[in-house]
Amino acid sequence: MADTLTIRTAGIVTVQDLGRVGRSRYGLPANGAADQHSARVANVLCGNDERAPLLEITALDFACVPSADILVAVTGAPADVTVDGGVRPQWEPVPVRAGETVKVSGIRQGLRVYLAVLGSFEADRLQGSCAPDTILGFGPALSAGDELVLRTACPPLDHPFSRIPLFRLKAPVPPFPAGWTIDVTDGPDRAEFGDTGQRLFNGPFTVTPRSNHIGLRLQGEVPRRVTKGEVLSRGVPIGAVEVPAGDELLVLHRGRGVTAGYPVLAVVTATGLSALGQVRPGQTIRFRHRTLDQAVAAHRAQRNAVDALRSRVHTAFEALRIRAPAGARSRGTGSAGA
C-alpha cells in the first residue's frame, strides 16, 4: 500500500505547480500558482524541484493527515500552522509524524497559502502541468476524504533537547501589507491614453469580489482612451492591465485567455504578479511605474534569493541525511509568463 496524504478539511484547495509554460501558442492559459514566488519557496524548502506539485490553499481553513513521516513547508499569506495542535512556523521545513494532523487556519493579510511535501505527491498532468484549468474542467478542487499518493517518506527528525527539530534557513519572505503596491511597465497601448494614463498611478484601486485567478477587477478613477477606432483581438500577456469602456480596470492573471480586444495600458511585472496573487477582495492597490530594466533587476534579485535558499537547504539536508528528490538542486524553468 502506498503512503498517502489524506485531506480532512478541504476549504478551497487545489493541486498546483508553476503552470503550462510555453503553451499559449496552442491557446492554453498558463494557469499555475497565483503566487509563484511563495510556491517556489515552499518546494525549495522541502528539497524539491521548484516545479513539483504542491497544494494551493485559498482563504479558508485546511487540514490533512499523512500515513507516513513527512517533511512539509508552508508559505504564502500569514496563517496559523499547527501539527497536532502544536504551533509550527511558516517559511521553514516542518517534520510531521505519521497520523499527526497538519492544520492551516486563520489565513489573513494575503489570500493564498502553499503547502509542499518532501518528494511531492502523484498528480495528473495536462500538457506537462498539473495546474487546474477551469475552462477545460481539468484539476478540480480537492474534497475532504481525498487522498494524495506520497512519493517519499522522511525518516523521523529529532532534537536532542526540545524534541522538535527547528530550521533557520531564512527564506525570502515578501511583505503582506494592508495596501498593496504593484509594479507595472508600459503596455503596448500606453500612447492611446494621453494624459489620462497617469490616473493609473494617482489613486488607489479597490479589488472587487468578482476577481479570481483569471483576472482582477478594480474600481477607481479609470484612465480613458483618447484615440478612436477598434482594437483588434490579439495575444495578451499575463499581467496585462486592460481598460474596457466601463468603470473598471481588468488585470489579467494566470488563468487569462490568451487573446483579448481591450487596450492594454500597462503590464504587471513578474514580481508584481506574485504579489497580485495575494490581494484579497476589498483591499486596495496602487500601481508603481517601472522601466524594463528595473523590472528585470527585481525579478533576478528575487530568483537569486531563491537560488541562495536552495543552497542552504541542500547543506542542511546533507547534514541531517535527509534525502532530497533527484534533480531538486537544479534551478527550475518555470516562468511568470507563458
Side-chain angles (χ1 to χ4, degrees):
M1 295 288 291
D3 289 313
T4 60
L5 187 72
T6 302
I7 310 301
R8 296 297 190 208
T9 302
I12 303 173
V13 58
T14 55
V15 176
Q16 288 282 6
D17 57 18
L18 298 184
R20 294 177 184 86
V21 178
R23 296 304 193 273
S24 292
R25 72 190 70 178
Y26 306 121
L28 286 175
N31 286 301
D35 179 354
Q36 298 263 299
H37 175 70
S38 293
R40 282 191 173 98
V41 172
N43 266 322
V44 169
L45 285 169
C46 285
N48 298 337
D49 186 293
E50 62 183 38
R51 299 162 295 184
L54 78 170
L55 299 181
E56 182 180 75
I57 304 160
T58 302
L60 304 179
D61 293 354
F62 167 84
C64 63
V65 178
S67 65
D69 298 329
I70 60 173
L71 191 72
V72 305
V74 179
T75 64
D80 301 315
V81 180
T82 61
V83 176
D84 262 12
V87 177
R88 297 292 185 269
Q90 287 182 266
W91 300 88
E92 296 287 358
V94 174
V96 180
R97 295 291 183 93
E100 292 183 329
T101 299
V102 180
K103 185 175 181 180
V104 177
S105 61
I107 298 173
R108 52 195 178 272
Q109 295 175 248
L111 186 61
R112 295 176 171 92
V113 165
Y114 295 87
L115 188 151
V117 181
L118 172 68
S120 191
F121 39 77
E122 299 296 335
D124 294 332
R125 295 180 183 273
L126 172 68
Q127 287 290 304
S129 169
C130 68
D133 188 309
T134 55
I135 303 301
L136 297 178
F138 175 80
L142 298 176
S143 302
D146 286 349
E147 294 183 343
L148 301 171
V149 177
L150 297 169
R151 292 176 176 169
T152 305
C154 181
L157 302 176
D158 198 10
H159 190 283
F161 302 107
S162 70
R163 318 315 305 175
I164 302 173
L166 297 175
F167 291 82
R168 291 291 185 269
L169 295 172
K170 298 183 179 179
V173 183
F176 288 85
W180 296 82
T181 298
I182 303 299
D183 290 344
V184 298
T185 58
D186 287 337
D189 304 316
R190 171 63 183 87
E192 297 188 13
F193 290 86
D195 292 340
T196 76
Q198 187 59 34
R199 295 179 187 174
L200 186 68
F201 308 106
N202 288 344
F205 292 86
T206 302
V207 180
T208 77
R210 293 198 296 158
S211 302
N212 55 27
H213 70 290
I214 295 175
L216 283 76
R217 294 180 179 270
L218 309 179
Q219 290 184 332
E221 188 180 4
V222 177
R224 296 299 178 190
R225 186 168 174 250
V226 296
T227 60
K228 304 297 183 181
E230 294 293 327
V231 177
L232 297 177
S233 291
R234 66 271 169 89
V236 289
I238 301 170
V241 180
E242 295 187 323
V243 187
D247 59 356
E248 291 182 328
L249 285 181
L250 302 179
V251 185
L252 302 185
H253 216 283
R254 300 194 61 79
R256 66 57 170 121
V258 299
T259 61
Y262 295 129
V264 177
L265 172 59
V267 179
V268 178
T269 66
T271 53
L273 273 172
S274 286
L276 205 60
Q278 291 290 357
V279 179
R280 303 174 70 99
Q283 288 188 311
T284 59
I285 288 175
R286 285 184 178 272
F287 291 100
R288 180 171 60 182
H289 184 266
R290 285 291 181 261
T291 66
L292 287 176
D293 286 344
Q294 289 172 321
V296 169
H299 181 57
R300 285 177 176 167
Q302 190 176 75
R303 293 306 306 273
N304 288 341
V306 175
D307 288 342
L309 173 65
R310 183 181 290 107
S311 296
R312 295 194 294 273
V313 169
H314 177 74
T315 300
F317 280 21
E318 277 196 333
L320 293 169
R321 298 180 181 176
I322 300 173
R323 182 176 298 177
R329 289 207 70 197
S330 60
R331 179 168 174 166
T333 58
S335 170

